[in-house]
Amino acid sequence: MKKIMLIGETGSGKTTLKQALNNEKIRYKKTQSLEYSKNILDTPGEYIENRRYYNALMISSVDYDIIGLVQDCTSEKVVFPPNFTSIFNKKSIGIITKVDCYNADVKIAEKYLKQAGVEDIFYVNSINGKGIEDIRRLLQ
């Protein structure tokens, strides 16, 4: 099974996505440090929100096969710099979360992820399971 590292802003849904992928009970929990769970590394939002933590992301990525950039489509904030994925020598994917929310703007989330350098984008709602199987298949 492939291993994935999840990167995204605080509140983007990384931990909830990790819980859904691992068939865990969904419960909100603020990620304070790198959290390893089975084949998933959940990173704190502060690691992408503050450039001084980029080295921690690069070093942590060594043991992972896929880098997952997580973008909340209800947020207008972009935290991924242009061509951000180029700092990793790994396959990078985009994951758009909260796609079923009433204020979702999937098009702007796609734009942010494509500018960051991802080609493949997955659309998920971790609460109702939409798109989760697609990511599980990728990890097989």
Side-chain angles (χ1 to χ4, degrees):
M1 179 171 262
K2 294 178 185 161
K3 299 189 322 185
I4 188 170
M5 178 177 166
L6 301 176
I7 303 171
E9 74 175 301
T10 302
S12 64
K14 298 177 303 293
T15 301
T16 304
L17 175 60
K18 176 196 69 139
Q19 292 169 351
L21 287 168
N22 287 334
N23 290 315
E24 298 171 0
K25 181 179 179 185
I26 303 295
R27 58 182 173 76
Y28 178 77
K29 178 176 137 342
K30 169 68 181 92
T31 304
Q32 298 293 331
S33 62
L34 296 173
E35 292 191 6
Y36 304 89
S37 177
K38 298 183 182 179
N39 61 327
I40 301 171
L41 174 60
D42 183 8
T43 64
E46 290 82 5
Y47 278 36
I48 187 64
E49 295 166 352
N50 299 298
R51 285 182 181 257
R52 65 179 169 228
Y53 292 118
Y54 283 12
N55 285 339
L57 290 173
M58 288 187 289
I59 291 167
S60 300
S61 72
V62 170
D63 293 329
Y64 289 82
D65 305 301
I66 300 171
I67 306 302
L69 301 189
V70 180
Q71 178 67 46
D72 172 359
C73 67
T74 67
S75 173
E76 295 178 11
K77 183 177 178 185
V78 59
V79 294
F80 304 113
N83 297 313
F84 177 70
T85 60
S86 66
I87 68 172
F88 305 101
N89 189 19
K90 310 281 180 173
K91 176 178 179 62
S92 297
I93 64 167
I95 303 168
I96 299 177
T97 57
K98 307 176 188 180
V99 295
D100 294 332
C101 289
Y102 73 94
N103 59 338
D105 189 344
V106 173
K107 293 293 182 201
I108 195 75
E110 288 173 346
K111 177 183 171 187
Y112 294 159
L113 290 170
K114 288 178 181 175
Q115 287 175 343
V118 304
E119 293 180 17
D120 299 328
I121 298 178
F122 295 81
Y123 305 84
V124 303
N125 181 322
S126 299
I127 303 301
N128 67 19
K130 180 178 185 173
I132 297 299
E133 271 311 308
D134 295 331
I135 298 174
R136 283 188 185 134
R137 276 192 292 280
L138 175 70
L139 298 176
Q140 290 301 321

